[in-house]
Amino acid sequence: MKQLKIKEQAKSAAGIKAVYISLQQIFTRMSVKNSLNVLSKLNQKDGIDCPGCAWPDPSHRSKLGEFCENGVKAIAEEAMEKIADPSFFAKYSVQELQNQSDYWLGQQGRLTHPMILRENDTHYTPISWNQANAIIGQELNALDNPNEAAFYTSGRTSNEAAFLYQLFVRMYGTNNLPDCSNMCHESSGVALSKTVGIGKGSVTLDDLYKAEVILIFGQNPATNHPRMLACLEKAKQNGAKVIAINPLKEAGLINFKNPQNPKGVIGGGVDIADYYLQIKINEDVALLKAIMIKLFDIAEENPEVLDVDFITSKTAGFTEFKKELLNHNLNELIQKTGLSTQEIDDVVALIASRKKIIACWGMGLTQHVNGVDNIQEVVNLLLMKGSIAKEGTGTCPVRGHSNVQGDRTMGIAEKPSKQLLDKISENFGFTPPKEHGYSVVEAITAMYHKKVKVFIGMGGNFLSAAPDTNYTTQALQNCNLTAHISTKLNRSHLTPGKTALILPSMGRTDKFIKNGKVQFITVENSMGVVHSSKGALTPPSKEVESEPVIVANIAKATLKNSKVDWDFLTDDFNNIRDLIDKTIDGFENFNERVKQPIGFELPNGSRTGNFTTENKKANFTVNKLGNIQPESDEYIMMTTRSHDQFNTTIYGLDDRYRGIYNGRMVVFMNREDVAKNNLKKGDKVTLYNNYNNIKRQVDGFSVVPYDIPKGCVATYYPESNPLVPIDLIAHSSHTPSSKSIKVKIKA
C-alpha cells in the first residue's frame, strides 16, 4: 500500500490537469468508445443528466463538453465495465469484504444479479427477482404495523421512481420516508419555508450572471459543484464581487483555471474570492449579526442602504428582528467570529453599496445544531437589502445530489403536506396516512430500539452517510430484513439485517428499452428546472432492472387488492408522468413540457415575490448565536469531502487541492495548535469525545498543518462519522450536526 504524502496546498483549481485526470479516470474504467459516447451526451439536451451534483445546465451548452472533473469521475464510477457478479460474491465472504476500504469496495464493479444473505450465512448468493420480491412482500406483510418499516431514498433517484416509491409506501400505510435531504439541506428547507414560503432557492443561473455581490457560505465549489466556478467566472466578468465565508482556505475559491478558456489553459486563470473570511466554525450568525448592526449604523446617515419600501410592503417581523439584533454587543460578536474588524468593515462597505446580492451556501451552514438559525439569518440580511424576488438577487442553497430536490417534490417526505395527501386520496382512491413518519435520525433510532424491523434503501450508501457509525451499524443489524437497491457494492450491504438483499439497478447512463421504446426519466436541478435524462449504454447484465420497475414489482408483491396497475405504469414511463401531472402542482402537461430542450421551470413564489407563507409575507426571524463551548483542550471538528469523493463514493485516495495523496485518515489543524500539542506533520493521533457519557473514538489520523482558524479541525467523512453523536441534531430539521463536533486529540 502506498504511503500517505502531505504536500503544499494548491493555489488554484481545475486547469489542464483536471482534464488529464478526468480522462485518465474514465479511460481506465471504460472503453474509449463508451467513454466518448457518454461524454458527448453528458448534460447535453436530450442527453444524460450527470449523476453527480445538482448544479443546473446553461441554456447554451458547451460543444467542448458540458461537464467537470468530478462529473466525469461520477460517470466513470457508475458506468465502469468491471462487474461484481455472483462469482465475486462466492469468492469473498461478508467478513472479508467488511475488512476492505470503501474505495476498494467501489472499484469491484457493477452489480449484475439480485443477491441474498440469509441468517447465519457467510456469503451472499444469487436469488431470482421473483423470490427477492416475495421475501420483501412477506416481511412487510408480517409486521404488526406498517410503521415498523422504513423506506430510504437517495438523491440520484429519478422523479418517476420517487413518485412510485412514495405512492407504494403510502398505500402500504406509512410516511416513514427518510431521505438524504434529512442529512444535508433539511435545515435549508425548514428555514426557507418559514421565511419565504418554499423550501427551495429563488435564483436562476441568469440571476447569478447579473448579481453585484455573491456571498458563498460554507461551500467548496471546486470539489462539490465544479461547474459553479464557470458561472462565478462569468459573474465576475460582468462585474460581480465574490465574498467567501469558510473556515478552510479552498483552492477553488482562490483561483479558477477554466480548461475551456485560453486564460485557464495558458494564463493565470481568474481570482474568484474578492474577500475571503476564514470564520471560526459555526460562527456565521455572529458574523451576520455584526454585518447587519453595521448596516443599521450606516443607514442612520444613508437610509438607502436598506430597502425600506420592500421591508414595508413585502415583509413581517422587522421591528422584533431589529430590536433583538441591536441588543447584541458588536465587539463580542466580532470576537466570536475570529475575524478582524477591518475584514468585516470591508465586506460591510461593499454590501452597503450594492442592491443585487445573492447568498449561496452548502453543508457548512446546515449541519449544525443551529443550522436552521444560520439560514434564517442569511435571509434576514437579504430581506434588509430587498435582495430577493428581483433580478440578480436571492437565495441559492447548492444541492449536493442530482435529484435530491426532485425527490422531495415528488413526495419523498416524512412530513407530507395536506395538499399532497389530499391529491393522492383523490387520484388513487385510498386514504394515505397523515401522521408524520421517521426522518433519517429517527429511523436509525427506531431500528436501534427494534421499533423498525424492515429497512429498504433506494440508492445511496446509508451506513456511510449516516452519523454515529457504530450506533447505525447496530441499528441496521437489528432489522429482520435490509434491502438495498444499488448500482455498486458499498458498506451498507455489509451491515445486514437477519436477512439481507442486494437488488441491482440501472444508473443514469444505462439505456432502458421497454416494448421496443427507449425510455427516459426526469430530474429537477437545484434551481427548480425539470428536464429529461436518457441512458446510452447497455446495462451490465440482463438481470439489472430500472428503479421504477423494481419499485413496481415490490409493490405488486406486497399490496393486496391494489387499484394501481403497476405493469401499465412501467410499460411506458409516460404513464407515470401522466399520474405525476395529476398529483403534483407545477407538473401540468408534464409529458409535453418536458420535451422542451431545456425542460421547464417549476413555480416558485420566492422568485416572483408571491410569498406563500401563512401571512403571505417574507418573514424576518430572531435567531440564536452558535453556542459551542469547548474546554481548553477541546477542538471543534467539521467533516468534509476530499476532491476524490462525491458524497460517500470514493473515487480515489488523493485530495490534490489540499495537498493530500495516497490516504484519507488525516486531520487538518491550525499550525499553532499543532505546535501547542508538540505535534508535527504526519504524526498519528486519536480523535475522541464524550457526549452524554458515551465515549467515541477513531484512531490513526495523520496531522496536517493547514490554513484553518485556531481551535478548529477538519476531517474526511465517512471516516470520522463515528465521532458524530446520533442525537446531536439541528433544531427543527433534525439534520446531524456533522460540521461542529467537539473532539479531543491525543498522540
Side-chain angles (χ1 to χ4, degrees):
M1 188 172 180
K2 294 181 179 179
Q3 187 175 1
L4 174 72
K5 292 183 180 179
I6 303 170
K7 300 183 179 180
E8 288 299 310
Q9 179 186 3
K11 301 300 183 199
S12 65
I16 286 298
K17 190 167 187 177
V19 177
Y20 169 76
I21 290 175
S22 299
L23 296 178
Q24 182 186 51
Q25 286 272 342
I26 197 165
F27 288 156
T28 57
R29 290 167 173 78
M30 300 166 60
S31 69
V32 173
K33 178 183 177 182
N34 282 344
S35 297
L36 296 178
N37 182 19
V38 169
L39 292 180
S40 69
K41 296 178 173 63
L42 189 58
N43 293 324
Q44 299 292 344
K45 297 169 184 177
D46 198 35
I48 302 166
D49 185 67
C50 179
C53 78
W55 189 254
D57 304 315
S59 300
H60 301 288
R61 315 292 162 89
S62 170
K63 293 181 180 179
L64 294 176
E66 192 58 57
F67 49 80
C68 64
E69 176 187 342
N70 274 8
V72 176
K73 289 177 181 176
I75 287 293
E77 192 77 13
E78 176 184 284
M80 65 169 58
E81 291 166 1
K82 189 176 181 181
I83 58 173
D85 61 9
S87 66
F88 168 84
F89 288 97
K91 180 179 179 181
Y92 295 102
S93 69
V94 171
Q95 181 64 56
E96 289 172 319
L97 293 172
Q98 286 173 344
N99 293 333
Q100 298 292 343
S101 70
D102 287 63
Y103 172 63
W104 186 93
L105 294 174
Q107 298 311 301
Q108 301 316 300
R110 287 288 301 275
L111 299 166
T112 63
H113 291 71
M115 306 296 293
I116 186 169
L117 183 71
R118 293 182 170 88
E119 192 170 6
N120 299 321
D121 279 0
T122 59
H123 290 67
Y124 273 99
T125 56
I127 187 174
S128 73
W129 276 106
N130 285 340
Q131 290 173 314
N133 293 330
I135 288 172
I136 295 173
Q138 289 165 9
E139 289 285 349
L140 289 175
N141 286 319
L143 298 176
D144 293 333
N145 187 304
N147 291 322
E148 292 181 340
F151 302 84
Y152 175 73
T153 317
S154 155
R156 73 164 176 81
T157 305
S158 68
N159 288 330
E160 290 74 14
F163 181 80
L164 291 190
Y165 198 46
Q166 64 84 30
L167 179 61
F168 154 59
V169 170
R170 292 193 165 103
M171 292 185 79
Y172 173 66
T174 184
N175 281 317
N176 286 347
L177 283 159
D179 79 313
C180 58
S181 290
N182 296 145
M183 294 187 280
C184 55
H185 268 289
E186 193 70 43
S187 296
S188 300
V190 171
L192 292 174
S193 295
K194 179 178 178 180
T195 55
V196 297
I198 183 171
K200 302 179 182 183
S202 67
V203 306
T204 65
L205 275 180
D206 203 46
D207 287 320
L208 282 158
Y209 301 148
K210 296 175 180 178
E212 296 173 327
V213 176
I214 300 173
L215 297 154
I216 301 177
F217 290 89
Q219 187 192 354
N220 178 16
T223 289
N224 301 332
H225 320 89
R227 287 193 299 152
M228 182 180 177
L229 292 177
C231 176
L232 293 174
E233 178 185 43
K234 184 173 179 178
K236 287 184 68 68
Q237 289 170 351
N238 294 341
K241 298 292 185 181
V242 174
I243 303 170
I245 302 104
N246 200 60
L248 290 169
K249 205 68 172 286
E250 302 287 17
L253 289 171
I254 299 171
N255 181 273
F256 170 53
K257 294 183 177 180
N258 189 339
Q260 296 194 10
N261 185 320
K263 189 176 180 181
V265 175
I266 58 175
V270 59
D271 294 339
I272 296 296
D274 298 280
Y275 303 89
Y276 206 122
L277 305 183
Q278 284 188 263
I279 192 169
K280 286 186 175 181
I281 290 173
N282 197 28
E283 294 297 351
D284 302 274
V285 172
L287 171 62
L288 287 160
K289 286 185 185 297
I291 289 172
M292 291 187 290
I293 289 172
K294 286 175 175 287
L295 287 174
F296 273 120
D297 287 343
I298 296 172
E300 290 292 327
E301 294 184 6
N302 181 11
E304 291 186 0
V305 165
L306 309 183
D307 192 330
V308 177
D309 289 343
F310 178 85
I311 292 169
T312 303
S313 63
K314 288 288 188 178
T315 74
F318 178 73
T319 301
E320 295 83 355
F321 152 74
K322 182 178 179 181
K323 179 180 179 181
E324 191 276 341
L325 178 69
L326 297 182
N327 279 335
H328 286 277
N329 182 292
L330 180 58
N331 290 330
E332 290 177 0
L333 292 173
I334 294 173
Q335 185 176 11
K336 283 177 69 67
T337 68
L339 302 168
S340 70
T341 300
Q342 187 61 57
E343 285 179 295
I344 296 175
D345 284 345
D346 290 343
V347 166
V348 169
L350 177 65
I351 293 173
S353 65
R354 301 293 194 275
K355 296 290 187 183
K356 294 183 176 181
I357 302 170
I358 288 175
C360 306
W361 65 87
M363 303 300 94
L365 283 195
T366 64
Q367 292 182 326
H368 302 279
V369 169
N370 60 316
V372 174
D373 296 76
N374 285 335
I375 288 100
Q376 289 181 169
E377 203 71 86
V378 170
V379 174
N380 282 340
L381 174 60
L382 295 176
L383 296 182
M384 279 179 64
K385 295 292 297 179
S387 293
I388 192 168
K390 300 172 186 174
E391 183 180 79
T393 70
T395 58
C396 185
V398 185
R399 305 284 177 171
H401 214 158
S402 58
N403 198 41
V404 62
Q405 188 161 297
D407 288 347
R408 185 54 61 89
T409 302
M410 288 297 105
I412 299 292
E414 77 280 6
K415 298 177 182 177
S417 67
K418 181 179 183 300
Q419 183 181 24
L420 173 65
L421 296 181
D422 288 346
K423 275 287 187 180
I424 290 173
S425 178
E426 176 186 331
N427 291 335
F428 298 101
F430 76 100
T431 302
K434 294 181 173 58
E435 64 272 16
H436 290 170
Y438 292 134
S439 65
V440 164
V441 168
E442 291 167 334
I444 294 169
T445 304
M447 287 189 284
Y448 186 88
H449 293 290
K450 300 182 180 180
K451 294 179 180 179
V452 162
K453 301 172 183 177
V454 173
F455 175 87
I456 299 176
M458 185 154 62
N461 180 357
F462 185 78
L463 175 63
S464 294
D468 217 336
T469 307
N470 296 330
Y471 186 96
T472 302
T473 295
Q474 186 60 58
L476 288 166
Q477 291 174 337
N478 285 348
C479 292
N480 294 334
L481 173 69
T482 53
H484 298 277
I485 301 166
S486 306
T487 58
K488 303 276 295 299
L489 182 66
N490 66 51
R491 183 71 55 193
S492 298
H493 305 144
L494 310 177
T495 311
K498 292 184 178 67
T499 301
L501 291 166
I502 301 175
L503 307 178
S505 68
M506 293 183 185
R508 294 274 174 85
T509 54
D510 293 322
K511 184 186 293 185
F512 179 57
I513 301 175
K514 192 69 179 284
N515 297 327
K517 180 180 178 181
V518 178
Q519 302 291 325
F520 68 87
I521 52 92
T522 62
V523 296
E524 177 187 342
N525 66 35
S526 65
M527 293 183 182
V529 174
V530 177
H531 59 96
S532 64
S533 179
K534 185 186 295 182
L537 301 179
T538 302
S541 161
K542 292 182 179 179
E543 292 292 316
V544 173
E545 268 294 4
S546 71
E547 286 184 334
V549 172
I550 293 173
V551 172
N553 287 335
I554 292 174
K556 285 163 55 182
T558 304
L559 302 176
K560 309 301 181 186
N561 304 316
S562 172
K563 296 179 181 179
V564 174
D565 187 340
W566 300 96
D567 290 331
F568 169 75
L569 293 178
T570 54
D571 277 345
D572 188 331
F573 290 176
N574 282 335
N575 299 331
I576 305 174
R577 287 186 282 272
D578 284 339
L579 287 185
I580 295 172
D581 176 329
K582 296 178 181 177
T583 310
I584 309 293
D585 282 351
F587 286 83
E588 295 77 14
N589 301 315
F590 191 0
N591 275 313
E592 289 302 313
R593 293 164 70 204
V594 80
K595 292 177 183 177
Q596 299 174 52
I598 59 173
F600 62 92
E601 189 178 291
L602 292 174
N604 187 323
S606 67
R607 185 172 294 164
T608 60
N610 298 311
F611 301 110
T612 53
T613 54
E614 287 187 12
N615 59 7
K616 307 303 179 185
K617 300 278 189 178
N619 292 302
F620 282 92
T621 50
V622 172
N623 300 298
K624 295 181 180 179
L625 294 164
N627 191 32
I628 309 173
Q629 297 178 336
E631 302 293 332
S632 59
D633 60 343
E634 286 183 320
Y635 296 84
I636 304 303
M637 181 191 81
M638 57 179 279
T639 64
T640 188
R641 298 175 182 169
S642 82
H643 189 62
D644 261 357
Q645 175 180 2
F646 181 73
N647 292 343
T648 58
T649 303
I650 312 300
Y651 301 138
L653 299 178
D654 296 344
D655 189 352
R656 70 178 188 277
Y657 292 156
R658 298 189 183 121
I660 305 300
Y661 296 86
N662 306 326
R664 294 178 51 81
M665 290 294 291
V666 297
V667 53
F668 298 98
M669 297 179 64
N670 178 277
R671 288 175 174 82
E672 292 185 32
D673 289 333
V674 172
K676 185 179 74 173
N677 285 276
N678 296 315
L679 297 169
K680 61 181 184 302
K681 181 174 73 174
D683 282 354
K684 291 289 180 69
V685 296
T686 293
L687 301 187
Y688 65 102
N689 56 26
N690 190 327
Y691 281 87
N692 297 326
N693 295 318
I694 299 175
K695 186 174 181 180
R696 296 172 174 86
Q697 175 175 312
V698 182
D699 303 319
F701 288 99
S702 295
V703 171
V704 179
Y706 205 74
D707 194 354
I708 186 172
K710 285 192 292 184
C712 301
V713 299
T715 55
Y716 297 132
Y717 73 87
E719 287 81 1
S720 55
N721 282 5
L723 297 166
V724 182
I726 189 69
D727 52 358
L728 192 69
I729 55 177
H731 302 307
S732 303
S733 71
H734 293 178
T735 299
S737 184
S738 302
K739 294 291 185 286
S740 49
I741 303 298
K742 291 190 289 188
V743 297
K744 294 184 179 183
I745 300 174
K746 63 181 179 181

